[in-house]
Amino acid sequence: MIPVFIYDHDPKELKQLKKIVEDYIMIEDLDMTVFSTSDAYEILDYMESHQVKNGLYFLDINLSQKVNGLALASKIRHSDDYGVIVFVTVQPELMYLTFTYKIEAMDFIVKTRRSEMVTRMRECIQLAHDRMLRLKRDKGKGYRHFYQVKVGGKIKMIPYEDIMFFETSLTPHMLILHLSDQQLEFRGSIKETASDTAFFRCHKSLVVNLRNIESINISKREIELINGTICPLSVKAMRELKLLKNLPVVSNFA
């Protein structure tokens, strides 16, 4: 059963959010249980006593509280690495702080847009439910985790295994993220992206996902990804690649 936590400092708002969540869970007959509170410490205590992992968290921010939603999210992330965090707030201007706190949030929902809020909360519940089921199925292969990007003012959580490669955009200070089925443009740098050990900078303007390398051709200085994409491989990157361990199956790599 997947635990769903709802935190809001306002009891009236908390009751409404809980109803939205419980109604959707009941209608879709999802294997989820709901815990709601206006006390952040109750969530932390419950998580510790029940060893909660892979939960779904709907959190109000409200910076006036002793333990605001951002601080709570940071503590949750420390305890539940792959939990899904969703902020539901009346303060959309605080979205940038989720990056400052380095919190991988699935969504940032504004309460004042009630109809949109309900729709997006339902989408988050379904998406989190589906992802958690996949996590359980993939347990033997290691848990999936997510890469966070901000696209058009919205935070997106991208499963690492869906990422093929990154390349610099024609637009300054922007990158293009190539997924298995789409492309996303976001603000970032190749150097910073390559600092993630899951990725490898194969060329001045390209960073590939090491897990999705199908083959490496030294004579042609090329990397083929599992979706058939061919990426150039610089001489410097070729030398560095040879030093890496646990590479995927490669060809002509000696």
Side-chain angles (χ1 to χ4, degrees), residues 4 12 17 20 30 42 47 55 62 68 90 104 119 122 124 132 134-135 146 153 173-174 179 184 204 206 246:
V4 182
K12 183 178 179 181
L17 295 178
I20 292 170
L30 303 179
E42 286 191 0
M47 289 180 66
N62 203 302
N68 64 71
V90 294
E104 296 181 353
T119 298
R122 289 173 175 173
C124 288
M132 294 310 176
R134 289 197 296 269
L135 276 172
F146 305 96
H173 311 299
M174 300 292 285
L179 303 175
L184 301 172
K204 182 179 180 180
L206 292 171
N246 300 321

Side-chain angles (χ1 to χ4, degrees), residues 39-147:
D39 185 346
Y41 290 106
E42 286 191 0
I43 291 181
L44 298 176
D45 290 343
Y46 185 94
M47 289 180 66
E48 182 177 359
S49 63
H50 291 76
Q51 296 295 300
V52 173
K53 296 293 181 184
N54 304 320
L56 169 59
Y57 306 86
F58 288 102
L59 308 177
D60 177 32
I61 291 183
N62 203 302
L63 297 180
S64 66
Q65 298 296 302
K66 184 176 180 180
V67 179
N68 64 71
L70 289 167
L72 175 58
S74 182
K75 292 179 182 295
I76 288 172
R77 179 60 69 221
H78 181 73
S79 175
D80 187 356
D81 292 342
Y82 305 120
V84 175
I85 295 174
V86 179
F87 290 105
V88 187
T89 180
V90 294
Q91 299 172 285
E93 70 276 7
L94 298 179
M95 183 170 65
Y96 77 95
L97 288 176
T98 62
F99 291 95
T100 302
Y101 277 72
K102 300 190 183 307
I103 300 165
E104 296 181 353
M106 174 181 281
D107 205 350
F108 196 100
I109 302 172
V110 181
K111 288 182 181 178
T112 51
R113 304 166 189 164
R114 303 302 289 191
S115 178
E116 180 183 342
M117 181 188 78
V118 173
T119 298
R120 287 171 64 175
M121 285 183 66
R122 289 173 175 173
E123 290 174 347
C124 288
I125 294 168
Q126 190 64 58
L127 185 56
H129 177 269
D130 294 346
R131 285 181 177 178
M132 294 310 176
L133 289 183
R134 289 197 296 269
L135 276 172
K136 289 181 180 180
R137 287 197 297 266
D138 296 341
K139 188 174 182 179
K141 303 175 184 177
Y143 282 112
R144 293 161 42 124
H145 55 301
F146 305 96
Y147 188 80

